[in-house]
Amino acid sequence: MSTTALSTDGLSHLHDVMAAHVASGRLPGLVTLVAQGDDVHVDTIGSRSFADRAPLRRTDIFRIASLSKPITAVAAMSLVEEGVLRLDQPVDGLLPELAHRRVLRAIDAELDDTVPADRPITLEDLLSFRTGFGSVVAPPGTYPIQRAEAELGLQSIGGPPWPPVTHDSDSWLAALGSLPLMYQPGDRWLYNSSAQVLGILLARAAGKDIGTVLRERVFEPLAMPDTGFTVPADQLDRLTTAYMPDAEDGELSVLDDPADSWWSTPPSFPDSSGWLVSTIDDYWSFVSTLLAGGTLRGRRILSPESVTLMTTDRLSTAQREASRLFLGEHCGWGLGMAAPAMGSTAPLPSGFGWDGGIGTTWRSHPRSGVTGILLTQRHVTSPVPTALVEDFWGAVNAATVPADRTARRADAP
């Protein structure tokens, strides 16, 4: 029996806090899900856009950005369970573009100032984001590697995945392979690029495009009909409008409109790190599967052992410290998602899950059993949590109370 429960008063307070953000004009709408066991609460607030004030619906579609990463990781682990891939497997055979890597002597070195990689990149490196290439915590163009990556149009280390790149998967990987690694494989946790490479590897391993791999291994078994890289033409009226704040004054402008959305046609490079769309119920099906040890409604897509591997922190103390801007104070990284730092007892957002650059966030707390999911449509400009996200987690934690307190309140005269 769980020792925690969700407070009715606390959930009402969560609604009020989220509604205040919408009423302020910071974004047109949002949807929240808070769950503890079978007690699941979904709340839709606001509208799909500022131009269309029709109430937001539970079935409306959001760009989930980097909440795509854990989905891709689950597909990878399913291939590991089948023996198609191994965690310790070098990627060279499937990704020859990344064989025989050179590594910068220092992050600020010129591109020809390199040493040989100590070892090949492995599948585990991709899943644990320790490939040796990823986001640089410095202003754009500070280092030669940043300038070279930008010139190649990879959109991998310094910004969001939109607008879509002009590459296809093969040309994108060839361009990446023309650059040295920033660090030795296994040395550093670096954000984003590993998940992009992972999608290409999965497609080649399965002999199918990554959209088909995800559909067959995750979306169809878990009844997630509205999750994918593209929104069908007859469903575009369900797609929320995405907004971008101005860097100077924060004024919002339309980033992506359903009428001519980037998601209305298949992307040339289906970016498995951040290009998926979904609904709150689709994503809850995915999260529920992990909470249930890899099985949902009798369909097993992963073993409990694989789920444990994915949701257990693999980083060293030094790796976590170097990545605190992205991971926060109490989180490490498992396989394809954040995980509580070893020994952490902090409340949410310490847990397993991740965040997305369009204001999305998900965590499940392994001790309390509480899950929170927030889907929004406002682009964020920093890995530092926004006031909206901080308020969301604060209110979710406030709504989580000892189960006996809820029972006493229910029995009160």
Side-chain angles (χ1 to χ4, degrees):
M1 182 176 179
S2 175
T3 59
T4 60
L6 298 176
S7 156
T8 300
D9 291 344
L11 292 170
S12 178
H13 174 67
L14 170 64
H15 170 87
D16 292 344
V17 170
M18 295 292 97
H21 279 275
V22 173
S24 72
R26 296 188 187 98
L27 71 170
L30 56 85
V31 57
T32 66
L33 181 147
V34 184
Q36 207 289 332
D38 295 330
D39 188 15
V40 182
H41 300 264
V42 175
D43 190 16
T44 58
I45 301 171
S47 58
R48 287 188 297 276
S49 75
F50 288 118
D52 178 4
R53 305 309 292 185
L56 190 69
R57 299 169 298 186
R58 183 167 173 161
T59 55
D60 283 334
I61 297 170
F62 289 79
R63 302 153 194 80
I64 62 172
S66 288
L67 293 192
S68 306
K69 290 175 169 68
I71 292 175
T72 306
V74 163
M77 292 304 293
S78 75
L79 285 165
V80 170
E81 288 194 0
E82 290 180 9
V84 177
L85 295 171
R86 301 188 325 274
L87 284 175
D88 63 354
Q89 175 180 342
V91 304
D92 299 13
L94 289 167
L95 307 176
E97 297 93 334
L98 301 185
H100 311 298
R101 293 285 77 206
R102 304 288 298 183
V103 183
L104 293 173
R105 288 186 185 274
I107 190 63
D108 59 353
E110 296 296 331
L111 299 189
D112 59 355
D113 186 9
T114 63
V115 297
D118 293 338
R119 61 168 177 81
I121 298 166
T122 66
L123 173 60
E124 181 179 353
D125 291 330
L126 295 180
L127 285 161
S128 66
F129 282 28
R130 293 181 290 190
T131 300
F133 196 91
S135 293
V136 177
V137 184
T142 299
Y143 303 132
I145 190 68
Q146 291 174 285
R147 296 192 290 272
E149 188 269 352
E151 289 170 4
L152 291 171
L154 296 180
Q155 294 178 212
S156 181
I157 68 173
W162 40 75
V165 300
T166 57
H167 290 284
D168 62 21
S169 297
D170 291 341
S171 70
W172 186 92
L173 189 63
L176 178 68
S178 72
L179 298 175
L181 298 179
M182 299 171 182
Y183 299 96
Q184 290 287 347
D187 278 4
R188 295 279 190 114
W189 184 93
L190 295 171
Y191 190 53
N192 198 60
S193 304
S194 294
Q196 294 173 294
V197 175
L198 179 63
I200 299 172
L201 181 141
L202 298 186
R204 292 184 182 181
K208 302 173 182 179
D209 66 88
I210 184 60
T212 299
V213 173
L214 296 182
R215 186 181 70 250
E216 292 180 350
R217 293 183 172 272
V218 182
F219 305 151
E220 288 180 348
L222 302 184
M224 299 169 63
D226 295 313
T227 306
F229 290 108
T230 309
V231 180
D234 62 352
Q235 300 298 317
L236 281 169
D237 64 317
R238 296 168 53 202
L239 179 63
T240 56
T241 300
Y243 293 88
M244 169 78 77
D246 182 83
E248 297 295 328
D249 60 15
E251 184 175 345
L252 294 178
S253 61
V254 173
L255 173 67
D256 184 69
D257 190 296
D260 57 356
S261 175
W262 294 319
W263 281 264
S264 63
T265 57
S268 60
F269 173 39
D271 184 348
S272 59
S273 75
W275 202 253
L276 291 175
V277 297
S278 192
T279 64
I280 193 67
D281 285 304
D282 273 17
Y283 209 79
W284 174 234
S285 289
F286 172 74
V287 173
S288 296
T289 303
L290 296 180
L291 292 170
T295 299
L296 186 67
R297 294 186 288 270
R299 295 290 301 270
R300 186 178 80 83
I301 63 170
L302 284 185
S303 67
E305 292 77 14
S306 290
V307 174
T308 298
L309 284 174
M310 296 183 71
T311 57
T312 300
D313 181 24
R314 307 173 87 80
L315 303 187
S316 68
T317 300
Q319 287 170 338
R320 283 195 302 273
E321 285 295 320
S323 306
R324 183 174 288 192
L325 178 65
F326 283 94
L327 297 176
E329 186 175 353
H330 302 290
C331 276
W333 194 261
L335 296 176
M337 68 183 74
M342 203 64 68
S344 173
T345 58
L348 291 165
S350 175
F352 60 86
W354 194 227
D355 310 310
I358 199 74
T360 53
T361 188
W362 152 52
R363 291 292 193 285
S364 295
H365 198 281
R367 290 178 180 268
S368 69
V370 174
T371 288
I373 305 172
L374 169 66
L375 301 183
T376 85
Q377 57 213 88
R378 175 183 167 129
H379 172 71
V380 298
T381 56
S382 167
V384 176
T386 63
L388 173 65
V389 168
E390 288 190 335
D391 287 349
F392 173 69
W393 290 122
V396 170
N397 287 326
T400 304
V401 298
D404 60 344
R405 186 191 306 174
T406 302
R408 287 197 303 270
R409 184 174 299 166
D411 294 339

